[in-house]
Amino acid sequence: MTDAEEPKLYVNRSGDTSDPAPERRGSRQDACSCFDQSRPRPRARVGFHTERQDTSAPGWQHLLELVDEAAADGREEFRPLTELSPEERRQVITLPPSIARLTAVKHLVLYGSNLVRIPPEIGSMTSLEEFTPYTSYRLHWFPYEITRCRKLTRSTVSTRALFGNEKLRPPFPRLQPAQGSVTDLDPENLDPRRRGVTAIHRCSVCNHPIAQGGLHQVWISLRVATDVLPLLVSACSSACVADLPTV
């Protein structure tokens, strides 16, 4: 997973027809070598994607506008990538926190994206019923906050790209030890190589500010809609970790 790797085009061979804009999908997702998504390698070493979102990129700026438009018109289906040029799509590696305003959206389509992470604000999309990030091959995990989408019953995820999936059994990235205080951490400027994210604002479990009780990150795999997903929990205390569902 290096910046020097040659981008390659991933082809959907499963017969899925949910691609929102096949004629514009030639953007070429960046290559991902986190683990072999075609055959088991149980001893593989894995890690988080380390890219940071370039907030000055035209694709990011265009996406912000699209989120604002969707929030303003109250649309129930949101397919932002179909409105971006191929190069703009490649520039987007996460979604903006402003997706929290998309409380009317029932179907979120991110087919063939270049995303490496989803922000916890997806948990505020309380009307979400269907989630389609299919063929987003660099998206290996999801935030625990997605479990707040209580109406979410349908999903289409490329499961072979997920950490810990039952077909390939790639391991999970190691997490940093729990910290009882975050006084030495800048929650607005975290190292994604170590934490998986670039910022943490609130506890994944109780939703209190993370600075109140420290930072405790753990993995949990839960069924979310149609799929079992690896979820990253960023909790404020060991008590919140203890409140997680038992699996």
Side-chain angles (χ1 to χ4, degrees), residues 12-22 25 79 107 109 111 132 134-135 156:
N12 173 25
R13 300 182 184 277
S14 66
D16 184 89
T17 59
S18 63
D19 189 342
R25 192 160 51 91
R79 297 172 175 252
H107 187 191
V109 182
Y111 193 106
T132 309
Y134 193 57
T135 68
T156 309

Side-chain angles (χ1 to χ4, degrees), residues 51-64:
E51 299 94 322
R52 293 176 179 267
Q53 178 63 57
D54 179 0
T55 56
S56 67
W60 179 256
Q61 295 298 320
H62 194 176
L63 179 59
L64 293 178

Side-chain angles (χ1 to χ4, degrees), residues 175-187 189-191 194-197 200 203 209-218 233-241:
L175 299 175
Q176 297 300 301
Q179 292 185 242
S181 171
V182 294
T183 55
D184 296 330
L185 278 179
D186 180 358
N189 185 29
L190 298 175
D191 181 358
R194 295 163 58 87
R195 297 292 180 181
V197 295
I200 297 174
C203 175
I210 202 72
Q212 288 186 357
L215 178 58
H216 303 250
Q217 287 188 298
V218 298
V233 180
S234 297
C236 67
S237 66
S238 57
C240 279
V241 172

Side-chain angles (χ1 to χ4, degrees), residues 30-106:
D30 289 330
C32 175
S33 58
C34 289
F35 57 90
D36 192 332
Q37 297 181 17
S38 63
R39 62 172 182 255
R41 292 185 62 189
R43 296 182 180 273
R45 297 182 63 184
V46 301
F48 290 110
H49 278 273
T50 61
E51 299 94 322
R52 293 176 179 267
Q53 178 63 57
D54 179 0
T55 56
S56 67
W60 179 256
Q61 295 298 320
H62 194 176
L63 179 59
L64 293 178
E65 295 172 0
L66 294 173
V67 172
D68 288 344
E69 291 174 7
D73 63 30
R75 73 188 65 175
E76 295 185 353
E77 183 174 80
F78 189 42
R79 297 172 175 252
L81 301 184
T82 64
E83 303 298 322
L84 304 183
S85 70
E87 183 56 30
E88 286 178 331
R89 290 181 68 169
R90 186 176 174 185
Q91 294 167 355
V92 174
I93 63 167
T94 187
L95 299 178
S98 56
I99 61 169
R101 299 168 53 209
L102 303 180
T103 54
V105 170
K106 295 182 178 180

